[in-house]
Amino acid sequence: MGRDKEDAAEREIDSVVPWMRAPIDVSNVETCALETLPCLNPRLKKAMEEMGISSLFPVQVSVWHETIGPGGFERDICVNSPTGSGKTLSYALPIVQILASRPVRCLRALVVLPTRDLALQVKDVFDAIAPAVGLTVGSAVGQSSIAGEISQLIKTPKLDAGICFDPDDLSQNLESAVDILVATPGRLMDHINNTKGFTLEHLRYLVVDETDRLLREAYQSWLPTVLQLTQASDDGLFPTAFVPSAFGALQTVRRQSVERGFKGKPYPRLVKMVLSATLTQDPSKLIQLDLHHPLFMTTGGSRYRLPEKLECLRLICETGMKPVYLVALLKSWEGEKCIIFTSSVETTRRLCKLLNFFGDANIKAKEYSGGLNQSVRSKELKAFRKGDIQVLVASDALTRGMDVKGVTNVINYDMPPFAKTFIHRAGRTARAGQAGRCFTLLSNHEVRRFSKLLKKVGSDSCPIYPISPTSLDSIRATYTPALEKLKELVESEAPKKGRQAFRHNSRTGNSQTKFNKTTSDT
Ligand SMILES: Nc1ncnc2c1ncn2[C@@H]1O[C@H](COP(=O)(O)OP(=O)(O)OP(=O)(O)O)[C@@H](O)[C@H]1O
């Protein structure tokens, strides 16, 4: 389904599935100091303190209660919680704690995310806590060659000197080198289909992070495949797990359970945790997850919620003046980290070039979009995280989940097309209880549509941000030469396409670029 149709379909869902009607409201839950968190493994407490964490956020406390606490992982968990509220640790911590209680090395937890950069970010969180309790975390994201990934994920048995083994016997005896795997769907499917020794046989926990994004596309049917591979393996009645095989390796036999409430379900059961700041309520999507007695956790009564300390502001200007307003904003916050979102890959590229052509404004901007090679993207993101770059111009490839410390301002250079897009873009700031601002540049004809969008995201205030006319005048003088340089660049790169893309706006006296719309990744 296309984005427009999908958004329309989501709009029309006013009767949510029954289990979503009585959620746990996380906004009623208090933070909890690590000292008072029940049952927390002391080694994990220490690891978290080393991360600078002294207490758990409300969503983390709620999930802990339903997993390690009295809930005991008995139900599948669906979390709809604002951006930056700490969803990653909400699942990482209980999974690591529960796996640590049973020291067998096999792949028991799988976390799936839509992009490589997001998956690597989540792996970093697991890496910060899992080794403290002897667990190993792997990634299947396509960062290295497939052979490199296989050597990280699969352990080959040590051969005794002088003994010849049949290669087929050896491949049966391969073992997982990791307990937890963080993966993108494509690479996960590569390993499922082709990697000898890669098995989901022992999988006990499946996390689908950014669920609505992952359910939007089939990604080579990764979800039905994972669910199929974790079904009951026979129709015997008695549950058995971790049976030693003839070679000493482990086997998990999932059988059909006979317990009340679990009848006909495979046991050991695959526990699922699904999370997003904009969790879908579409029953036709949720059904794909085959959830078991799902428990819904959300924050407040409305469908979407913005971070508490996020301030929304708007600037209204003629379309051709947008770059001038943008530069005025950037100049006023020298040194602060900022992300500028545009509507397409092409706009991202050109706006980034244009900003760098404003010589005296001294703006060092870099781009991040789906149009760039993955390694370039990751390099720019790393530089932005380190603070070597202050301004990142991004397409919606960066909207979801990316956690960069110290981003104080987000700018919607192009108005977000959907409420969900606004939530995820704005959510790159005001994370972890910090303050942040989200600016949206609008032309007059967009004002009404934007007000409707704000209502949907539950924002009741979005004042106009004042910019002094004198600061605009000084920037206007440098705008024309910067635009000329961009025009030359575009024409030299793609003469025909470039000329079509450039239109002179004689009404305003400013040149304006009309960029091709390409993909929106939200
Ligand atoms: N208990 C905590 N104490 C302090 N900081 C925390 C805590 N938990 C998480 N954080 C920090 O909060 C930030 C946001 O966390 P995280 O990325 O998990 O948010 P999220 O809810 O997944 O956001 P998004 O919806 O945008 O993906 C991270 O920088 C993380 O290190």
Side-chain angles (χ1 to χ4, degrees), residues 52-57 60 81-89 121 210 277 400-403 405 424 427-428 431-432:
I53 291 177
S54 56
S55 61
L56 289 195
F57 288 161
Q60 297 162 350
S81 169
T83 50
S85 58
K87 292 186 287 297
T88 314
L89 205 57
Q121 180 181 294
E210 301 295 353
R400 277 192 186 252
M402 292 313 306
D403 184 60
K405 298 244 175 341
H424 290 285
R428 295 318 100 212
R431 298 176 71 72

Side-chain angles (χ1 to χ4, degrees), residues 201-507:
E201 181 189 0
H202 312 292
L203 199 66
R204 297 297 308 276
Y205 304 94
L206 171 66
V207 179
V208 186
D209 201 344
E210 301 295 353
T211 311
D212 46 327
R213 176 77 181 84
L214 278 168
L215 292 182
R216 216 169 62 212
E217 286 163 41
Y219 292 118
Q220 306 165 42
S221 303
W222 74 272
L223 182 58
T225 307
V226 169
L227 297 184
Q228 175 64 36
L229 290 171
T230 50
Q231 284 300 306
S233 45
D234 67 6
D235 46 22
L237 294 180
F238 301 103
T240 331
F242 300 136
V243 182
S245 78
F247 294 97
L250 293 168
Q251 272 188 317
T252 292
V253 180
R254 287 182 214 271
R255 300 182 193 258
Q256 288 192 13
S257 177
V258 289
E259 281 176 56
R260 228 173 120 231
F262 292 86
K263 209 166 169 198
K265 298 261 178 185
Y267 182 93
R269 184 173 80 81
L270 178 68
V271 175
K272 290 164 212 137
M273 300 172 89
V274 304
L275 310 94
S276 176
T278 53
L279 192 69
T280 180
Q281 298 188 345
D282 183 346
S284 69
K285 299 235 173 69
L286 291 165
I287 204 166
Q288 297 170 34
L289 293 156
D290 187 26
L291 297 170
H292 173 77
H293 291 298
L295 182 67
F296 183 41
M297 293 179 184
T298 189
T299 308
S302 55
R303 170 129 191 233
Y304 300 128
R305 190 156 172 154
L306 291 167
E308 241 167 66
K309 293 196 185 158
L310 177 77
E311 188 185 0
C312 296
L313 297 149
R314 64 176 116 185
L315 291 96
I316 299 171
C317 59
E318 286 166 24
T319 310
M321 284 292 284
K322 274 169 47 171
V324 176
Y325 276 71
L326 177 65
V327 172
L329 279 179
L330 295 176
K331 277 182 81 170
S332 65
W333 325 309
E334 257 170 63
E336 286 181 45
K337 268 190 203 168
C338 159
I339 303 176
I340 303 163
F341 284 106
T342 74
S343 59
S344 73
V345 168
E346 196 56 25
T347 312
T348 303
R349 201 178 76 80
R350 293 185 187 179
L351 183 61
C352 182
K353 297 266 183 243
L354 183 66
L355 288 177
N356 288 308
F357 287 146
F358 273 88
D360 66 333
N362 203 20
I363 299 166
K364 302 257 176 308
K366 292 279 181 181
E367 65 172 296
Y368 182 102
S369 81
L372 293 176
N373 178 308
Q374 177 65 56
S375 59
V376 178
R377 272 211 251 183
S378 300
K379 193 181 116 224
E380 305 301 17
L381 187 60
K382 198 170 163 197
F384 187 55
R385 280 191 204 284
K386 269 178 68 188
D388 296 346
I389 299 168
Q390 256 72 47
V391 177
L392 204 61
V393 187
S395 72
D396 283 325
L398 193 74
T399 48
R400 277 192 186 252
M402 292 313 306
D403 184 60
V404 179
K405 298 244 175 341
V407 175
T408 42
N409 298 297
V410 162
I411 303 173
N412 287 313
Y413 180 80
D414 291 320
M415 190 182 113
F418 309 111
K420 276 187 180 188
T421 321
F422 183 86
I423 297 259
H424 290 285
R425 285 185 185 180
R428 295 318 100 212
T429 184
R431 298 176 71 72
Q434 300 295 304
R437 296 186 295 180
C438 175
F439 297 81
T440 304
L441 300 186
L442 298 168
S443 59
N444 273 318
H445 73 273
E446 290 173 318
V447 172
R448 258 184 73 192
R449 205 152 55 88
F450 185 65
S451 300
K452 279 192 189 167
L453 186 148
L454 282 178
K455 251 193 205 158
K456 272 200 197 168
V457 301
S459 169
D460 42 18
S461 149
C462 184
I464 292 180
Y465 185 76
I467 294 219
S468 83
T470 44
S471 69
L472 290 176
D473 286 344
S474 66
I475 295 162
R476 216 179 260 133
T478 50
Y479 178 38
T480 311
L483 198 63
E484 277 307 314
K485 278 191 195 167
L486 177 65
K487 192 173 171 184
E488 277 166 29
L489 182 84
V490 170
E491 287 181 345
S492 69
E493 282 178 354
K496 206 169 161 206
K497 206 172 144 205
R499 270 195 294 277
Q500 280 169 355
F502 257 82
R503 303 270 151 80
H504 192 72
N505 184 339
S506 54
R507 207 159 41 86

